[in-house]
Amino acid sequence: MSDDWDVYFTHVEDKPASMLLDLGIAAEAPIPGLSVMAYITVEFLDPDENGFSKRSEYEKLMQIEDALIPAVTHETSVFVGRCTTDGQREFFFYMDNAKGLEERVEAVMAKFDEYPW
């Protein structure tokens, strides 16, 4: 993971979207052995009219992110970005394989059991 991150706004399937991307990863890509792309989708409980999080839900979503990313990343995986749109947030990772991924995500999301994923 690099230090060169950026956020931009766009549309995904004609809906407003916010993208957070590791732009610096392009200098390293493709990374040998990290050929599997995995993503995790977390649904918002109360999105605003544009499909983004409301201020009241923002802090909880950041807690989920702060717990989820380190639980999924390890020496053979890397977090490369997220997309927020249509009342959900998708986290994107490249990894060598997805073995154990669901169990790691379940362990994190059990602490946030009100959020569908």
PDB file of all heavy atoms in Angstrom, residues 4 13 15 19 27 32 35-36 38 43 47 52-53 57 59 64 74 87 89 92 94 96-97 101 109-110:
ATOM      1  N   ASP A   4       0.003   7.353  -1.598  1.00  0.00           N
ATOM      2  CA  ASP A   4      -0.610   8.201  -2.619  1.00  0.00           C
ATOM      3  C   ASP A   4      -2.076   7.820  -2.827  1.00  0.00           C
ATOM      4  O   ASP A   4      -2.425   7.099  -3.750  1.00  0.00           O
ATOM      5  CB  ASP A   4       0.177   8.077  -3.928  1.00  0.00           C
ATOM      6  CG  ASP A   4      -0.287   9.063  -4.984  1.00  0.00           C
ATOM      7  OD1 ASP A   4      -1.089   9.974  -4.659  1.00  0.00           O
ATOM      8  OD2 ASP A   4       0.150   8.917  -6.140  1.00  0.00           O
ATOM      9  N   GLU A  13     -23.418   3.266 -12.416  1.00  0.00           N
ATOM     10  CA  GLU A  13     -24.774   2.896 -12.834  1.00  0.00           C
ATOM     11  C   GLU A  13     -25.740   4.066 -12.624  1.00  0.00           C
ATOM     12  O   GLU A  13     -26.811   3.908 -12.036  1.00  0.00           O
ATOM     13  CB  GLU A  13     -25.225   1.628 -12.127  1.00  0.00           C
ATOM     14  CG  GLU A  13     -24.378   0.434 -12.494  1.00  0.00           C
ATOM     15  CD  GLU A  13     -24.828  -0.873 -11.850  1.00  0.00           C
ATOM     16  OE1 GLU A  13     -25.890  -0.906 -11.218  1.00  0.00           O
ATOM     17  OE2 GLU A  13     -24.087  -1.855 -11.997  1.00  0.00           O
ATOM     18  N   LYS A  15     -25.689   6.497 -10.619  1.00  0.00           N
ATOM     19  CA  LYS A  15     -25.883   6.954  -9.243  1.00  0.00           C
ATOM     20  C   LYS A  15     -24.597   7.623  -8.757  1.00  0.00           C
ATOM     21  O   LYS A  15     -23.498   7.188  -9.119  1.00  0.00           O
ATOM     22  CB  LYS A  15     -26.253   5.788  -8.345  1.00  0.00           C
ATOM     23  CG  LYS A  15     -27.586   5.190  -8.750  1.00  0.00           C
ATOM     24  CD  LYS A  15     -27.983   4.054  -7.870  1.00  0.00           C
ATOM     25  CE  LYS A  15     -29.374   3.639  -8.284  1.00  0.00           C
ATOM     26  NZ  LYS A  15     -29.544   2.266  -8.507  1.00  0.00           N
ATOM     27  N   MET A  19     -15.178   7.548  -4.706  1.00  0.00           N
ATOM     28  CA  MET A  19     -14.118   6.548  -4.826  1.00  0.00           C
ATOM     29  C   MET A  19     -12.910   6.978  -4.010  1.00  0.00           C
ATOM     30  O   MET A  19     -12.478   8.123  -4.103  1.00  0.00           O
ATOM     31  CB  MET A  19     -13.677   6.398  -6.275  1.00  0.00           C
ATOM     32  CG  MET A  19     -14.768   6.041  -7.227  1.00  0.00           C
ATOM     33  SD  MET A  19     -15.225   4.325  -7.009  1.00  0.00           S
ATOM     34  CE  MET A  19     -16.252   4.088  -8.427  1.00  0.00           C
ATOM     35  N   ALA A  27       2.196   1.924  -9.683  1.00  0.00           N
ATOM     36  CA  ALA A  27       3.637   1.790  -9.912  1.00  0.00           C
ATOM     37  C   ALA A  27       4.130   0.384  -9.584  1.00  0.00           C
ATOM     38  O   ALA A  27       5.172  -0.041 -10.077  1.00  0.00           O
ATOM     39  CB  ALA A  27       4.400   2.820  -9.081  1.00  0.00           C
ATOM     40  N   PRO A  32       3.118  -9.611  -8.342  1.00  0.00           N
ATOM     41  CA  PRO A  32       3.172 -11.069  -8.489  1.00  0.00           C
ATOM     42  C   PRO A  32       2.531 -11.776  -7.296  1.00  0.00           C
ATOM     43  O   PRO A  32       2.761 -11.423  -6.146  1.00  0.00           O
ATOM     44  CB  PRO A  32       4.675 -11.374  -8.560  1.00  0.00           C
ATOM     45  CG  PRO A  32       5.293 -10.084  -9.025  1.00  0.00           C
ATOM     46  CD  PRO A  32       4.439  -9.005  -8.440  1.00  0.00           C
ATOM     47  N   SER A  35      -3.235 -12.238  -7.512  1.00  0.00           N
ATOM     48  CA  SER A  35      -4.055 -12.312  -8.721  1.00  0.00           C
ATOM     49  C   SER A  35      -5.558 -12.415  -8.438  1.00  0.00           C
ATOM     50  O   SER A  35      -6.354 -12.419  -9.371  1.00  0.00           O
ATOM     51  CB  SER A  35      -3.612 -13.508  -9.566  1.00  0.00           C
ATOM     52  OG  SER A  35      -3.744 -14.699  -8.806  1.00  0.00           O
ATOM     53  N   VAL A  36      -5.940 -12.476  -7.171  1.00  0.00           N
ATOM     54  CA  VAL A  36      -7.358 -12.591  -6.811  1.00  0.00           C
ATOM     55  C   VAL A  36      -7.859 -11.236  -6.327  1.00  0.00           C
ATOM     56  O   VAL A  36      -7.274 -10.633  -5.433  1.00  0.00           O
ATOM     57  CB  VAL A  36      -7.557 -13.647  -5.702  1.00  0.00           C
ATOM     58  CG1 VAL A  36      -9.005 -13.693  -5.239  1.00  0.00           C
ATOM     59  CG2 VAL A  36      -7.098 -15.015  -6.183  1.00  0.00           C
ATOM     60  N   ALA A  38     -10.844  -9.392  -4.440  1.00  0.00           N
ATOM     61  CA  ALA A  38     -11.974  -9.663  -3.554  1.00  0.00           C
ATOM     62  C   ALA A  38     -12.591  -8.341  -3.136  1.00  0.00           C
ATOM     63  O   ALA A  38     -11.896  -7.326  -3.044  1.00  0.00           O
ATOM     64  CB  ALA A  38     -11.508 -10.435  -2.317  1.00  0.00           C
ATOM     65  N   GLU A  43     -23.774  -2.637   3.687  1.00  0.00           N
ATOM     66  CA  GLU A  43     -24.938  -1.796   3.408  1.00  0.00           C
ATOM     67  C   GLU A  43     -25.157  -0.799   4.533  1.00  0.00           C
ATOM     68  O   GLU A  43     -24.993  -1.128   5.704  1.00  0.00           O
ATOM     69  CB  GLU A  43     -26.182  -2.660   3.240  1.00  0.00           C
ATOM     70  CG  GLU A  43     -26.118  -3.579   2.038  1.00  0.00           C
ATOM     71  CD  GLU A  43     -27.367  -4.431   1.891  1.00  0.00           C
ATOM     72  OE1 GLU A  43     -28.458  -4.012   2.347  1.00  0.00           O
ATOM     73  OE2 GLU A  43     -27.244  -5.522   1.317  1.00  0.00           O
ATOM     74  N   PRO A  47     -29.051   5.591   4.478  1.00  0.00           N
ATOM     75  CA  PRO A  47     -28.325   6.467   3.559  1.00  0.00           C
ATOM     76  C   PRO A  47     -29.106   7.748   3.285  1.00  0.00           C
ATOM     77  O   PRO A  47     -30.326   7.797   3.446  1.00  0.00           O
ATOM     78  CB  PRO A  47     -28.202   5.622   2.294  1.00  0.00           C
ATOM     79  CG  PRO A  47     -29.319   4.647   2.363  1.00  0.00           C
ATOM     80  CD  PRO A  47     -29.548   4.387   3.828  1.00  0.00           C
ATOM     81  N   PHE A  52     -25.256   8.241  -0.009  1.00  0.00           N
ATOM     82  CA  PHE A  52     -24.073   8.358   0.837  1.00  0.00           C
ATOM     83  C   PHE A  52     -24.478   8.241   2.296  1.00  0.00           C
ATOM     84  O   PHE A  52     -25.664   8.279   2.636  1.00  0.00           O
ATOM     85  CB  PHE A  52     -23.356   9.687   0.593  1.00  0.00           C
ATOM     86  CG  PHE A  52     -22.814   9.828  -0.804  1.00  0.00           C
ATOM     87  CD1 PHE A  52     -23.202  10.891  -1.601  1.00  0.00           C
ATOM     88  CD2 PHE A  52     -21.915   8.909  -1.318  1.00  0.00           C
ATOM     89  CE1 PHE A  52     -22.700  11.038  -2.888  1.00  0.00           C
ATOM     90  CE2 PHE A  52     -21.409   9.046  -2.598  1.00  0.00           C
ATOM     91  CZ  PHE A  52     -21.804  10.110  -3.388  1.00  0.00           C
ATOM     92  N   SER A  53     -23.489   8.140   3.170  1.00  0.00           N
ATOM     93  CA  SER A  53     -23.798   8.029   4.600  1.00  0.00           C
ATOM     94  C   SER A  53     -24.200   9.391   5.155  1.00  0.00           C
ATOM     95  O   SER A  53     -23.673  10.420   4.754  1.00  0.00           O
ATOM     96  CB  SER A  53     -22.601   7.481   5.371  1.00  0.00           C
ATOM     97  OG  SER A  53     -21.508   8.364   5.287  1.00  0.00           O
ATOM     98  N   GLU A  57     -24.398   8.336  10.801  1.00  0.00           N
ATOM     99  CA  GLU A  57     -23.914   6.977  10.589  1.00  0.00           C
ATOM    100  C   GLU A  57     -22.426   6.924  10.241  1.00  0.00           C
ATOM    101  O   GLU A  57     -21.801   5.864  10.302  1.00  0.00           O
ATOM    102  CB  GLU A  57     -24.739   6.336   9.459  1.00  0.00           C
ATOM    103  CG  GLU A  57     -24.573   4.858   9.330  1.00  0.00           C
ATOM    104  CD  GLU A  57     -25.553   4.239   8.352  1.00  0.00           C
ATOM    105  OE1 GLU A  57     -26.205   4.958   7.555  1.00  0.00           O
ATOM    106  OE2 GLU A  57     -25.663   3.013   8.384  1.00  0.00           O
ATOM    107  N   GLU A  59     -19.574   7.821  11.674  1.00  0.00           N
ATOM    108  CA  GLU A  59     -18.612   7.324  12.672  1.00  0.00           C
ATOM    109  C   GLU A  59     -18.633   5.794  12.762  1.00  0.00           C
ATOM    110  O   GLU A  59     -17.583   5.149  12.820  1.00  0.00           O
ATOM    111  CB  GLU A  59     -18.898   7.942  14.043  1.00  0.00           C
ATOM    112  CG  GLU A  59     -17.797   7.694  15.041  1.00  0.00           C
ATOM    113  CD  GLU A  59     -16.465   8.302  14.635  1.00  0.00           C
ATOM    114  OE1 GLU A  59     -16.436   9.419  14.084  1.00  0.00           O
ATOM    115  OE2 GLU A  59     -15.422   7.650  14.865  1.00  0.00           O
ATOM    116  N   ILE A  64     -16.211   0.391  11.288  1.00  0.00           N
ATOM    117  CA  ILE A  64     -16.219  -0.851  10.500  1.00  0.00           C
ATOM    118  C   ILE A  64     -14.986  -0.897   9.600  1.00  0.00           C
ATOM    119  O   ILE A  64     -14.273  -1.910   9.555  1.00  0.00           O
ATOM    120  CB  ILE A  64     -17.516  -0.959   9.669  1.00  0.00           C
ATOM    121  CG1 ILE A  64     -18.720  -1.172  10.594  1.00  0.00           C
ATOM    122  CG2 ILE A  64     -17.409  -2.092   8.645  1.00  0.00           C
ATOM    123  CD1 ILE A  64     -20.069  -1.074   9.902  1.00  0.00           C
ATOM    124  N   HIS A  74      -3.017  -8.774   4.953  1.00  0.00           N
ATOM    125  CA  HIS A  74      -1.905  -9.483   5.589  1.00  0.00           C
ATOM    126  C   HIS A  74      -0.763  -9.510   4.592  1.00  0.00           C
ATOM    127  O   HIS A  74      -0.801  -8.775   3.601  1.00  0.00           O
ATOM    128  CB  HIS A  74      -2.336 -10.889   6.051  1.00  0.00           C
ATOM    129  CG  HIS A  74      -3.082 -11.671   5.012  1.00  0.00           C
ATOM    130  ND1 HIS A  74      -2.466 -12.295   3.967  1.00  0.00           N
ATOM    131  CD2 HIS A  74      -4.412 -11.895   4.855  1.00  0.00           C
ATOM    132  CE1 HIS A  74      -3.371 -12.901   3.211  1.00  0.00           C
ATOM    133  NE2 HIS A  74      -4.567 -12.663   3.717  1.00  0.00           N
ATOM    134  N   GLY A  87     -26.163   3.593  -1.159  1.00  0.00           N
ATOM    135  CA  GLY A  87     -26.417   3.093   0.182  1.00  0.00           C
ATOM    136  C   GLY A  87     -25.527   1.957   0.626  1.00  0.00           C
ATOM    137  O   GLY A  87     -25.883   1.190   1.519  1.00  0.00           O
ATOM    138  N   ARG A  89     -21.079   0.523   0.839  1.00  0.00           N
ATOM    139  CA  ARG A  89     -19.650   0.769   0.667  1.00  0.00           C
ATOM    140  C   ARG A  89     -18.991  -0.556   0.328  1.00  0.00           C
ATOM    141  O   ARG A  89     -19.164  -1.545   1.026  1.00  0.00           O
ATOM    142  CB  ARG A  89     -19.056   1.350   1.938  1.00  0.00           C
ATOM    143  CG  ARG A  89     -17.577   1.661   1.819  1.00  0.00           C
ATOM    144  CD  ARG A  89     -17.107   2.557   2.928  1.00  0.00           C
ATOM    145  NE  ARG A  89     -17.648   3.902   2.680  1.00  0.00           N
ATOM    146  CZ  ARG A  89     -17.678   4.868   3.607  1.00  0.00           C
ATOM    147  NH1 ARG A  89     -17.219   4.651   4.809  1.00  0.00           N
ATOM    148  NH2 ARG A  89     -18.168   6.061   3.305  1.00  0.00           N
ATOM    149  N   PHE A  92     -12.182  -2.991  -1.696  1.00  0.00           N
ATOM    150  CA  PHE A  92     -11.519  -3.815  -2.695  1.00  0.00           C
ATOM    151  C   PHE A  92     -10.107  -4.202  -2.248  1.00  0.00           C
ATOM    152  O   PHE A  92      -9.351  -3.359  -1.764  1.00  0.00           O
ATOM    153  CB  PHE A  92     -11.447  -3.062  -4.028  1.00  0.00           C
ATOM    154  CG  PHE A  92     -12.800  -2.803  -4.614  1.00  0.00           C
ATOM    155  CD1 PHE A  92     -13.470  -1.626  -4.328  1.00  0.00           C
ATOM    156  CD2 PHE A  92     -13.412  -3.747  -5.417  1.00  0.00           C
ATOM    157  CE1 PHE A  92     -14.730  -1.379  -4.850  1.00  0.00           C
ATOM    158  CE2 PHE A  92     -14.678  -3.513  -5.945  1.00  0.00           C
ATOM    159  CZ  PHE A  92     -15.339  -2.334  -5.660  1.00  0.00           C
ATOM    160  N   TYR A  94      -6.659  -6.975  -3.309  1.00  0.00           N
ATOM    161  CA  TYR A  94      -6.005  -7.982  -4.137  1.00  0.00           C
ATOM    162  C   TYR A  94      -5.254  -8.897  -3.196  1.00  0.00           C
ATOM    163  O   TYR A  94      -4.639  -8.451  -2.217  1.00  0.00           O
ATOM    164  CB  TYR A  94      -5.046  -7.341  -5.151  1.00  0.00           C
ATOM    165  CG  TYR A  94      -5.790  -6.764  -6.326  1.00  0.00           C
ATOM    166  CD1 TYR A  94      -6.024  -5.407  -6.420  1.00  0.00           C
ATOM    167  CD2 TYR A  94      -6.281  -7.600  -7.325  1.00  0.00           C
ATOM    168  CE1 TYR A  94      -6.731  -4.875  -7.485  1.00  0.00           C
ATOM    169  CE2 TYR A  94      -6.993  -7.085  -8.395  1.00  0.00           C
ATOM    170  CZ  TYR A  94      -7.215  -5.724  -8.463  1.00  0.00           C
ATOM    171  OH  TYR A  94      -7.916  -5.197  -9.513  1.00  0.00           O
ATOM    172  N   ASP A  96      -3.545 -13.277  -2.697  1.00  0.00           N
ATOM    173  CA  ASP A  96      -3.087 -14.500  -3.351  1.00  0.00           C
ATOM    174  C   ASP A  96      -4.207 -15.525  -3.454  1.00  0.00           C
ATOM    175  O   ASP A  96      -4.287 -16.277  -4.413  1.00  0.00           O
ATOM    176  CB  ASP A  96      -1.860 -15.087  -2.654  1.00  0.00           C
ATOM    177  CG  ASP A  96      -2.135 -15.513  -1.220  1.00  0.00           C
ATOM    178  OD1 ASP A  96      -3.131 -15.076  -0.620  1.00  0.00           O
ATOM    179  OD2 ASP A  96      -1.319 -16.287  -0.686  1.00  0.00           O
ATOM    180  N   ASN A  97      -5.081 -15.557  -2.461  1.00  0.00           N
ATOM    181  CA  ASN A  97      -6.257 -16.434  -2.494  1.00  0.00           C
ATOM    182  C   ASN A  97      -7.262 -15.920  -1.464  1.00  0.00           C
ATOM    183  O   ASN A  97      -6.920 -15.105  -0.622  1.00  0.00           O
ATOM    184  CB  ASN A  97      -5.887 -17.897  -2.246  1.00  0.00           C
ATOM    185  CG  ASN A  97      -5.429 -18.144  -0.832  1.00  0.00           C
ATOM    186  OD1 ASN A  97      -6.208 -18.078   0.116  1.00  0.00           O
ATOM    187  ND2 ASN A  97      -4.133 -18.416  -0.673  1.00  0.00           N
ATOM    188  N   LEU A 101     -11.140 -15.804   4.022  1.00  0.00           N
ATOM    189  CA  LEU A 101     -11.637 -14.426   3.950  1.00  0.00           C
ATOM    190  C   LEU A 101     -13.005 -14.284   4.611  1.00  0.00           C
ATOM    191  O   LEU A 101     -13.217 -13.392   5.430  1.00  0.00           O
ATOM    192  CB  LEU A 101     -11.702 -13.954   2.500  1.00  0.00           C
ATOM    193  CG  LEU A 101     -12.296 -12.567   2.274  1.00  0.00           C
ATOM    194  CD1 LEU A 101     -11.449 -11.505   2.949  1.00  0.00           C
ATOM    195  CD2 LEU A 101     -12.441 -12.284   0.783  1.00  0.00           C
ATOM    196  N   MET A 109     -17.552  -8.374  11.338  1.00  0.00           N
ATOM    197  CA  MET A 109     -18.925  -7.892  11.198  1.00  0.00           C
ATOM    198  C   MET A 109     -19.836  -8.378  12.325  1.00  0.00           C
ATOM    199  O   MET A 109     -20.894  -7.786  12.547  1.00  0.00           O
ATOM    200  CB  MET A 109     -19.478  -8.272   9.829  1.00  0.00           C
ATOM    201  CG  MET A 109     -18.763  -7.566   8.670  1.00  0.00           C
ATOM    202  SD  MET A 109     -18.650  -5.754   8.834  1.00  0.00           S
ATOM    203  CE  MET A 109     -20.384  -5.310   8.744  1.00  0.00           C
ATOM    204  N   ALA A 110     -19.434  -9.384  13.075  1.00  0.00           N
ATOM    205  CA  ALA A 110     -20.202  -9.807  14.243  1.00  0.00           C
ATOM    206  C   ALA A 110     -20.257  -8.687  15.291  1.00  0.00           C
ATOM    207  O   ALA A 110     -21.218  -8.602  16.047  1.00  0.00           O
ATOM    208  CB  ALA A 110     -19.593 -11.077  14.845  1.00  0.00           C
TER     209      ALA A 110
END
